[in-house]
Amino acid sequence: RMRRPRGVERRRRKRRRKRKTRMSARVGFVAPGATVSRAFAATARVRRAEARGANANGNGNGNANAAAAARRRARVSCVAEVGGGAGSSEAIEAQRASGMASGRPTGAEQARTIAQKAQFALLSTMHEVKKAGGEDATFPYGSAVQIAVDAEGRPIFGISTLSAHTRDLAHSPRVSVTVLDQGFASVEDARFTLVGECVRVPDEQQDAVKAAYREKHPNAFWLDFGDFAMYRVETVHEIRLVGGFGRAQNVSPGAYARAEPDPLLAFANRIIGHMNDDHEGEIMQIVRHYAPEALEPEQVGGASKKIVSAKMEAIDKVGMDVRVVADAGDRRVNWKQRVVFPFLASDRKKAKEVLVEMTKASAAAGAATDAAPSEQHSTQA
C-alpha cells in the first residue's frame, strides 16, 4: 500500500482542524478583525433563510414563528462564521472591550461621547435656603451651564462669582452634573449624571483650562471678565448612565477617565445627513434585513409592521440608531431601532465600508425574498 507524502497529510490534518474550529465557533458575535468580503460571503445563509421564511409566512402563524426562529438561528451562525476564530478567549476579550458583544460601545465610552458632544449641562449644587418657619436648610439647586471636559472627561465650567451656584460651591464642593445627549428629545435618549466635588481651578492652571474650554466655546468672551473663573469637577465619585428605556448602568469613574469618545464622533453628523438625504430607501432595507424581529406582529394573529420611513439618528463604531415609522394594521407606530454592524467601524473608512456592505446584503436579501413567491407559484403550476 502506497503512503501519501507527508506534506499532503499535513495539509489534510490542517483542513480538518480548521473545520473543527469553525464548528466550535458558533457564538453570536463578530470578531473585530473580520473583513468585509468574509462578512458579505457569510450573509448568503441569512438570505436563504429569509427566502424560506417568506414562503413559510404564507402558511399560517405557526409557520411564520418557525420561520422567524430559523432566520435568527441563521443570522447567529453567519455572524460566528464572519468572526473566524471568534471562539478563542482573546477574541472574546477583544469583543467585550470593543462593546460589540452588547451591541453598543461600553458604558464608559458612551458617557465620554455624550460629554464630548454636550454644549450644556445641569449643574446641581448644595443651596442654603431659609424655610417659611425661619429654619435654615440645604436643598439641591440646579443651574443650566455651558460645559466642556478635560482629557479625563472631567467637566469644566467658566462661572461668575455673582452666580448663586458659585456661592454654593464656596460653602460645599458637592455637586451633580447631568449631561444630555445631543438632540435629546425624550426619555428614549441617552444621558448621564456625574457626582463629585467641584472646586476652583488653581491660579497657575486657569489659562490652560480656559483655553481647553474655548476649544468648545470659542465665543465665550465673558471668561475675560474679572468676576469669572474656571471651575472643574476635581474628584468624581459616581457616574450613572441611562442610555434609554431599560438601559441604565453604573459606570466606574476609573473606566470613564480611561475611555475615549467614539472614533466616528467628528464626522457622525455628516454621515447621518448624507444617509438620510440620499439613502433613506437603503436604510429601510437595512432595518428589514438586520432587524426583522422588530417588524413581526406584536401579538399572534396581528399585522406585521410595514416600514413607512427610516431615518438614522445616531451612529457609532458598533452600530446605528434608526427612527422607524411603520404601519401596523390600522395603527401607525414609531420607535428607535438599534442596528448592530457586522464588524467594527473604527474610523471613517470602515464606517463607509460597513454601510456599503450592509446595503448590498440587505438589497440581495430583498431580491431573494421577492423572487421566492414567484418561484413557489411556478413550481405549483
Side-chain angles (χ1 to χ4, degrees):
R1 180 181 178 183
M2 292 182 61
R3 297 184 60 182
R4 293 189 183 90
R6 291 184 178 179
V8 174
E9 282 295 332
R10 281 198 296 267
R11 287 193 292 272
R12 288 171 64 88
R13 286 196 296 269
K14 188 175 181 180
R15 284 196 296 269
R16 283 197 294 268
R17 284 197 299 271
K18 284 185 177 180
R19 283 196 295 270
K20 290 180 179 178
T21 301
R22 284 197 297 268
M23 292 299 293
S24 64
R26 303 297 188 186
V27 290
F29 57 82
V30 184
T35 62
V36 180
S37 59
R38 292 168 68 193
F40 184 61
T43 56
R45 187 175 301 150
V46 174
R47 293 198 290 269
R48 290 195 297 270
E50 296 216 347
R52 291 194 299 270
N55 292 336
N57 283 340
N59 299 326
N61 292 323
N63 286 342
N65 293 335
R71 288 197 299 271
R72 285 192 290 270
R73 288 195 299 271
R75 184 166 280 103
V76 167
S77 63
C78 279
V79 167
E81 187 175 335
V82 172
S88 67
S89 59
E90 293 83 0
I92 292 172
E93 191 59 37
Q95 195 76 7
R96 288 172 179 163
S98 72
M100 291 193 74
S102 65
R104 297 181 183 274
T106 65
E109 290 172 334
Q110 291 180 59
R112 284 297 301 269
T113 301
I114 294 170
Q116 194 69 29
K117 290 189 290 184
Q119 295 285 325
F120 297 92
L122 179 68
L123 172 65
S124 296
T125 53
M126 304 301 294
H127 188 65
E128 294 184 0
V129 299
K130 190 174 291 292
K131 298 172 70 173
E135 178 186 359
D136 290 335
T138 303
F139 291 91
Y141 182 85
S143 303
V145 294
Q146 285 190 313
I147 185 177
V149 294
D150 65 7
E152 298 178 14
R154 295 177 298 181
I156 53 179
F157 313 103
I159 52 181
S160 169
T161 55
L162 304 177
S163 300
H165 47 254
T166 310
R167 294 194 297 271
D168 293 341
L169 293 174
H171 292 95
S172 172
R174 293 179 294 167
V175 299
S176 71
V177 182
T178 300
V179 187
L180 307 181
D181 198 6
Q182 193 176 53
F184 186 93
S186 75
V187 292
E188 283 186 288
D189 300 325
R191 64 275 192 193
F192 76 93
T193 297
L194 177 150
V195 177
E197 296 173 6
C198 183
V199 298
R200 189 181 188 277
V201 174
D203 291 339
E204 63 272 17
Q205 298 179 23
Q206 282 283 325
D207 289 341
V209 174
K210 190 180 295 185
Y213 185 88
R214 276 191 164 133
E215 288 181 6
K216 178 172 280 191
H217 306 288
N219 298 322
F221 59 87
W222 54 84
L223 295 182
D224 296 326
F225 294 169
D227 60 309
F228 274 79
M230 303 306 299
Y231 283 73
R232 177 172 60 208
V233 179
E234 198 69 31
T235 306
V236 179
H237 297 297
E238 183 178 296
I239 300 172
R240 182 70 170 173
L241 170 71
V242 181
F245 284 129
R247 292 195 295 110
Q249 60 177 293
N250 292 324
V251 175
S252 160
Y256 175 81
R258 293 188 299 270
E260 296 287 341
D262 192 82
L264 303 187
L265 176 60
F267 33 84
N269 287 338
R270 290 196 289 275
I271 295 174
I272 293 169
H274 169 67
M275 291 297 294
N276 289 339
D277 292 342
D278 301 331
H279 300 286
E280 184 179 358
E282 285 81 356
I283 298 174
M284 293 167 67
Q285 285 186 328
I286 287 172
V287 172
R288 292 189 193 100
H289 180 53
Y290 287 90
E293 63 281 354
L295 305 178
E296 292 174 359
E298 296 177 354
Q299 57 187 3
V300 176
S304 297
K305 302 183 187 74
K306 183 178 180 181
I307 298 180
V308 176
S309 72
K311 296 282 189 180
M312 187 187 297
E313 289 191 344
I315 185 172
D316 54 60
K317 65 180 181 179
V318 180
M320 60 182 178
D321 293 332
V322 179
R323 175 62 59 181
V324 180
V325 179
D327 287 334
D330 58 354
R331 296 184 304 119
R332 176 154 290 186
V333 295
N334 78 88
W335 70 95
K336 182 186 289 189
Q337 178 65 45
R338 181 66 176 176
V339 179
V340 181
F341 294 153
F343 57 89
L344 200 67
S346 54
D347 54 35
R348 189 172 187 172
K349 181 181 178 183
K350 288 289 186 183
K352 181 178 179 179
E353 289 176 355
V354 74
L355 289 172
V356 169
E357 155 62 23
M358 295 174 80
T359 299
K360 290 179 178 178
S362 55
T369 302
D370 293 340
S374 60
E375 291 176 2
Q376 184 183 28
H377 178 73
S378 62
T379 303
Q380 290 174 348

